[in-house]
Amino acid sequence: MKISKRVSKISESVTLQLNSLAVSMEEEGKKVWNLTAGQLPFRPGNEFTESLRSELVFLNSFQYSPVAGFKKLREKVIDYYNTSREVDVSETHNVLISNGGKHSISNVLASIIDPGDEVILLAPYWVSYPELVKLYEGKPVIISSSIYEEFHPSIDDIKSAINSKTKAIIINSPNNPGGIHYSESWMKEFASLVLEYPELILISDEIYFELSYFDPKPTYFYQFEKSLLERTIVIDGVSKNMALTGLRIGFCIAPNELISAMTRLQGQTASGANSLVQKALLGYNFSLIHDYLEPIKGHLRENARTIQDILRENQLSQCWYQSKSAFYYLIDFSGAPIINKYKKNDDDMTDYSSQICQGLLTQKGVAVVPGEAFGVPNTARLSLVPTKEFFAEAITKIVEFMKEAEG
Ligand code: PLP
């Protein structure tokens, strides 16, 4: 069967390949430290599961919801957004509830990209952005950054990339996979920059907003230049902050006109999102998210600290940066001895992250996601969520591997 050009262009997730290797190693009885998880391994809060249970008796919990989502839930999302970000978009913005944050992003890109439009992505970026941009016949334009600037791309580099074809820019703070959120000063500079380009659409993926475990908290460009809200689209949802990745609910908060367009699209492609979960969310108090996450944040802080301690003890401080949010960390192989086993010479700029991650898995039994997927060469994403002891063992293995070329 001939697959369309559009879909043939989409790359397969790089995690899948390594995951299947990890699974077959486990089947052979080998111990594997799998740090690839993109979700919290905890049960959702009782208040939510109780709310879900209490909705089970109603007929309309099982029937179609309105395409854009239940009106009361949409209002609740706007209230939550206004309060948590200290803005007021009640008059200008509306909400579309979709089947997860990824679906929300897909709706946005489908509704704004025309063939040939450019979308600026800041590396490290989330794996699906470039693939979705390409799916809708746009061109991803990548701005890189490195551990030296704690994964904050330069504002000048962003400025140089903007041209008449630039349709939008996607900001993801807190960041997957960087585990950082952009500093307030960076956000202010970014706000001043984009003020100069009134046509540019600003997409702010805030799905990890609640998950920051080191102060200061995340801030956003539009909080410093309120007029930017007119062209800002915010992505949020419950996957990450309520541990509901499997229940598939995402929110898009955007100017009214775009919400209407995306609702037409969703009405023909997916219809309204899951009614039962929407109703359970209606009965749930969003201010409990904070309490639910408190112990989880303590756990993330401890594991982030473990990385710091083990890297320091092994004279690899140059590979360390302070992660602050989301639940990931980017291990940087480019400053460690191991890179010399892969690089052909000092000028070799090849990205060996896939080969390095393959080596780490086969030699030490640790599975991580190659930085190639996120636009950061010779790094790998690991998840900070595993239990403390298991995590420390895995980091010790990674560090042994990083030091290997030391003779
Ligand atoms: N945005 C970012 C940065 C993510 O990391 C993810 C999930 O990994 C999503 C959006 C989509 O989340 P979901 O579709 O599970 O709600």
Side-chain angles (χ1 to χ4, degrees):
M1 202 175 287
K2 196 156 177 351
I3 305 300
S4 71
K5 291 199 189 93
R6 186 184 316 111
V7 169
S8 306
K9 277 188 303 206
I10 301 176
S11 332
E12 200 187 349
S13 156
V14 278
T15 25
L16 289 182
Q17 216 187 341
L18 275 171
N19 258 329
S20 61
L21 182 55
V23 169
S24 57
M25 284 171 64
E26 273 174 331
E27 280 166 1
E28 285 165 22
K30 294 189 178 131
K31 174 146 189 185
V32 172
W33 289 263
N34 194 335
L35 301 186
T36 60
Q39 58 188 345
L40 292 174
F42 308 114
R43 267 181 61 81
N46 285 341
E47 295 84 354
F48 174 76
T49 47
E50 281 312 313
S51 175
L52 189 68
R53 205 188 306 276
S54 69
E55 292 302 329
L56 288 171
V57 294
F58 298 108
L59 174 65
N60 70 355
S61 298
F62 299 91
Q63 308 223 306
Y64 288 128
S65 84
V67 172
F70 289 112
K71 189 162 182 282
K72 287 207 169 119
L73 181 60
R74 298 166 70 203
E75 286 164 4
K76 187 167 167 167
V77 169
I78 286 272
D79 286 348
Y80 162 74
Y81 175 73
N82 281 340
T83 316
S84 56
R85 279 35 163 222
E86 298 172 11
V87 293
D88 186 0
V89 295
S90 313
E91 297 297 320
T92 52
H93 287 48
N94 212 322
V95 175
L96 172 60
I97 314 248
S98 301
N99 303 305
K102 187 180 289 190
H103 186 207
S104 304
I105 297 167
S106 173
N107 280 337
V108 170
L109 296 174
S111 305
I112 64 167
I113 295 179
D114 279 318
D117 282 350
E118 295 185 0
V119 177
I120 296 181
L121 308 178
L122 311 182
Y125 50 75
W126 182 47
V127 280
S128 295
Y129 300 148
E131 300 311 311
L132 287 171
V133 169
K134 286 188 271 173
L135 177 66
Y136 297 119
E137 299 181 57
K139 185 179 163 220
V141 174
I142 313 295
I143 311 295
S144 47
S145 71
S146 72
I147 188 169
Y148 304 111
E149 58 260 2
E150 295 187 324
F151 303 111
H152 283 57
S154 121
I155 299 288
D156 287 342
D157 288 353
I158 300 174
K159 188 178 168 75
S160 324
I162 302 175
N163 63 57
S164 58
K165 290 196 204 129
T166 314
K167 188 50 141 317
I169 174 160
I170 307 184
I171 300 276
N172 171 220
S173 178
N175 182 270
N176 172 9
I180 52 101
H181 47 271
Y182 299 129
S183 67
E184 188 169 311
S185 60
W186 188 93
M187 280 290 181
K188 283 183 176 158
E189 277 184 56
F190 179 76
S192 311
L193 170 72
V194 291
L195 263 185
E196 292 173 36
Y197 301 93
E199 302 297 316
L200 195 59
I201 297 175
L202 309 165
I203 303 170
S204 184
D205 181 348
E206 303 177 12
I207 200 121
Y208 296 96
F209 168 72
E210 296 276 1
L211 273 150
S212 79
Y213 53 86
F214 264 119
D215 282 342
K217 299 259 171 283
T219 50
Y220 294 99
F221 52 93
Y222 51 74
Q223 293 168 323
F224 309 109
E225 290 292 348
K226 295 268 165 35
S227 66
L228 293 173
L229 278 165
E230 284 167 22
R231 47 192 169 101
T232 298
I233 300 164
V234 175
I235 307 296
D236 204 345
V238 291
S239 314
K240 311 291 178 173
N241 53 20
M242 290 178 65
L244 298 179
T245 43
L247 296 193
R248 313 308 304 137
I249 291 286
F251 313 137
C252 178
I253 301 141
N256 297 329
E257 197 188 349
L258 179 66
I259 294 291
S260 307
M262 292 194 300
T263 306
R264 289 201 302 277
L265 170 69
Q266 184 167 305
Q268 299 297 3
T269 52
S271 298
N274 181 328
S275 299
L276 177 64
V277 183
Q278 286 193 59
K279 289 186 64 188
L281 287 171
L282 253 177
Y284 175 80
N285 179 353
F286 284 165
S287 58
L288 294 173
I289 294 176
H290 181 263
D291 302 343
Y292 171 68
L293 289 176
E294 238 3 75
I296 294 175
K297 289 185 199 171
H299 176 66
L300 296 174
R301 255 192 307 272
E302 277 188 9
N303 278 353
R305 180 76 197 207
T306 297
I307 299 182
Q308 179 181 16
D309 291 348
I310 298 180
L311 285 174
R312 278 206 183 139
E313 282 158 20
N314 286 279
Q315 293 77 45
L316 285 173
S317 293
Q318 73 279 14
C319 301
W320 179 81
Y321 68 98
Q322 179 66 66
S323 63
K324 296 189 166 93
S325 49
F327 38 75
Y328 310 102
Y329 194 90
L330 267 186
I331 281 283
D332 183 23
F333 299 108
S334 68
I338 188 71
I339 194 68
N340 299 318
K341 277 199 173 175
Y342 292 86
K343 270 182 152 182
K344 302 203 171 47
N345 53 51
D346 283 351
D347 302 327
D348 184 356
M349 302 304 267
T350 317
D351 179 8
Y352 291 105
S353 57
S354 284
Q355 290 95 314
I356 294 175
C357 291
Q358 176 116 11
L360 178 61
L361 179 57
T362 48
Q363 293 163 40
K364 301 286 175 187
V366 183
V368 289
V369 187
E372 173 195 296
F374 314 108
V376 200
N378 299 321
T379 62
R381 185 191 82 178
L382 55 83
S383 168
L384 292 178
V385 298
T387 53
K388 209 176 161 191
E389 218 170 283
F390 177 94
F391 186 76
E393 278 171 17
I395 299 299
T396 306
K397 297 261 161 201
I398 295 176
V399 167
E400 273 170 28
F401 178 78
M402 288 168 90
K403 291 179 75 177
E404 246 169 33
E406 269 183 338

